[in-house]
Amino acid sequence: MDGTEGNAGQPGPAERSHRSSVSSVGARAADVLVYLADDTVVPLAVENLPSLNAHELHRAVREVLQLPDIALDVFALWLVSPLLDEPSLQFRRNVFFPKRRELQIHDEEVLRLLYEEAKGNVLAARYPCDVEDCEALGALVCRVQLGPYQPGQPTACAVREKLDSFLPTHLCKRGHGLFAALRGRGAKAGPGEQGLLNAYCKVKEAAGGDSGRGASLSTHYRAYLLKSHELPFYGCAFFHGEVDKPAQGFLHRGGRKPVVVAISLEGVHVIDSREKHVLLGLRFQELSWDHTSPEEEESVLWLEFDGDNEGTPVNRLLKIYSKQAELMSGLIEYCIELNQTSELAAPQETVSGPPSAASSLPSSAQRPQLQRQGSVVCSRLQHLSTIDYVEEGQQIKRVKPKRTTSFFSRQLSMGQGSYTVVQPADSLEQG
């Protein structure tokens, strides 16, 4: 994707620095600052900026970073404005780049940039992960930053001092007050630390390769990405919104809760912004959608999916309030069209020559799903307030609360698809 993207709601380096991406240095010249996933900045001296298109700017970044041609497909330019002021320009993963193609990349710098972006999303809990996965991913970060695990070395101290560099913040809490102050370096590691150390010592080195810190890190970058691919929302674009809470208490008070809507080539996930777990995960085959614009009423993205109401199969509507509803709707439609185009082109593709290293890695279809009980990536429909209804002949039998009309026809096959009942543990397609 060459063009600049609108704000996808993903926090990035610019949020921490609050710096503009463009600064004037003359009548016809400007310094353009492009932010990378590792919080570094690529400064570009650009002549006649208003006439520069996104493709030329993308090429300039690739030349400075000395990236191969594959970077044209892997990365895109994103305009991000978290405070609705002057946006920052970020060089990030292209949401339309298939995960399967990542495993065919051999350039270490491209792999590093992908690794840094995925790591940032995990540490910031934008990618909700179970503890076991956080520890496995954090162990690979330890390997990259600290080198191979060395028994007998002060590894525990090094990990503890930089724990928030390896695990999300909510897993790094050690308590406060006198107990925390008395806890010295020699104290027993907490659950998150110990699990991380156990996973760190199990990280395997490349067969026959140099085990020193100066060795190529491509193997570990690729291992981190492969593990990240198990998360159903890897590589997604993020949007902010709110959903209705289920009515609670004698007065049936509900209110709204903030959510993040993650959209990728696989589907849509609604994530609780505070609890850091998935509320709803749907593949495109399992949903229908539409949006209402501010001119009609409050800007809303509607998602429809199959469910169950006291034993009766029903269609469920989820109402997501967001100023980015139209943008989300457009991205969903484009992802579906792109997937359909790829499916039509797939039978015509042929592969020749000896199998590559990537071909020996498990494919998305072969990779096991995360089915842990209570996993943060499983849907939690009981935490959502939905509008349920069932079809009875040509009429609509209303289930509370009442609706005056039926839902939309927009779905995967644009009006000719069918739904399957969504089960919380089975509604996610793992990458």
Side-chain angles (χ1 to χ4, degrees), residues 95-419:
V95 70
F96 305 126
F97 187 71
K99 291 185 292 187
R100 66 181 182 275
R101 291 188 60 191
E102 281 192 1
L103 304 180
Q104 301 170 2
I105 296 174
H106 299 285
D107 184 84
E108 183 167 314
E109 183 60 14
V110 173
L111 291 172
R112 186 189 73 83
L113 290 174
L114 290 170
Y115 155 82
E116 290 287 353
E117 184 169 340
K119 180 186 72 173
N121 285 327
V122 170
L123 294 179
R126 288 189 291 270
Y127 287 172
C129 298
D130 294 327
V131 174
E132 299 91 334
D133 297 313
C134 287
E135 292 169 351
L137 291 168
L140 290 167
V141 180
C142 289
R143 170 58 186 88
V144 170
Q145 296 186 8
L146 304 177
Y149 181 85
Q150 300 290 342
Q153 297 297 320
T155 306
C157 293
V159 169
R160 186 174 303 154
E161 290 173 355
K162 299 180 179 180
L163 193 60
D164 60 355
S165 298
F166 310 123
L167 294 175
T169 304
H170 65 279
L171 296 181
C172 300
K173 297 178 181 178
R174 304 189 184 95
H176 303 280
L178 180 62
F179 178 79
L182 294 176
R183 184 176 184 271
R185 289 189 174 185
K188 185 179 179 180
E193 293 178 48
Q194 191 58 54
L196 178 64
L197 289 170
N198 292 340
Y200 181 20
C201 71
K202 296 177 183 178
V203 174
K204 297 180 180 179
E205 299 299 320
D210 183 5
S211 61
R213 290 189 65 173
S216 171
L217 296 174
S218 297
T219 300
H220 305 296
Y221 293 151
R222 186 177 282 106
Y224 193 98
L225 294 174
L226 183 60
K227 182 66 178 176
S228 298
H229 287 185
E230 296 178 4
L231 303 173
F233 26 73
Y234 173 80
C236 63
F238 298 94
F239 304 85
H240 291 287
E242 293 180 322
V243 296
D244 293 317
K245 295 180 180 178
Q248 296 178 344
F250 179 74
L251 298 178
H252 302 287
R253 292 179 178 175
R256 296 180 182 178
K257 69 170 63 180
V259 296
V260 171
V261 182
I263 301 175
S264 69
L265 286 174
E266 278 75 26
V268 181
H269 288 79
V270 181
I271 300 170
D272 191 310
S273 299
R274 294 171 180 167
E275 300 299 328
K276 310 301 183 186
H277 58 218
V278 171
L279 295 170
L280 176 66
L282 296 170
R283 292 172 292 180
F284 290 128
Q285 296 91 334
E286 298 172 320
L287 64 85
S288 179
W289 88 101
D290 211 332
H291 74 281
T292 54
S293 63
E295 291 77 14
E296 303 173 51
E297 53 178 282
E298 188 172 3
S299 184
V300 170
L301 176 71
W302 295 87
L303 297 179
E304 182 187 55
F305 55 99
D306 285 359
D308 181 273
N309 187 307
E310 299 179 354
T312 302
V314 298
N315 288 35
R316 284 186 163 174
L317 293 177
L318 178 64
K319 193 175 185 180
I320 303 175
Y321 308 89
S322 175
K323 295 180 179 179
Q324 300 172 312
E326 185 175 2
L327 186 59
M328 287 189 281
S329 178
L331 181 56
I332 291 172
E333 185 164 4
Y334 187 81
C335 285
I336 289 174
E337 292 177 353
L338 192 63
N339 284 331
Q340 291 176 332
T341 302
S342 300
E343 290 173 1
L344 292 174
Q348 302 174 3
E349 295 179 357
T350 58
V351 179
S352 59
S356 64
S359 65
S360 62
L361 295 172
S363 66
S364 298
Q366 297 170 328
R367 213 168 291 128
Q369 294 187 358
L370 299 175
Q371 293 289 349
R372 303 186 187 100
Q373 184 176 3
S375 171
V376 298
V377 303
C378 290
S379 297
R380 287 163 170 76
L381 300 181
Q382 70 275 19
H383 295 173
L384 290 173
S385 176
T386 58
I387 302 170
D388 298 351
Y389 65 92
V390 298
E391 290 191 8
E392 191 174 71
Q394 298 300 318
Q395 303 296 322
I396 298 297
K397 177 182 176 183
R398 271 80 184 187
V399 183
K400 59 180 182 182
K402 296 181 179 179
R403 278 186 58 80
T404 57
T405 60
S406 60
F407 198 42
F408 331 99
S409 60
R410 299 178 68 180
Q411 55 195 57
L412 176 64
S413 57
M414 299 307 174
Q416 299 178 355
S418 61
Y419 297 117

Side-chain angles (χ1 to χ4, degrees), residues 59-69 71 107 109-110 113:
R59 181 177 59 191
V61 175
R62 299 198 313 272
E63 290 176 351
V64 171
L65 298 178
Q66 298 182 339
L67 298 178
D69 292 341
D107 184 84
E109 183 60 14
V110 173
L113 290 174

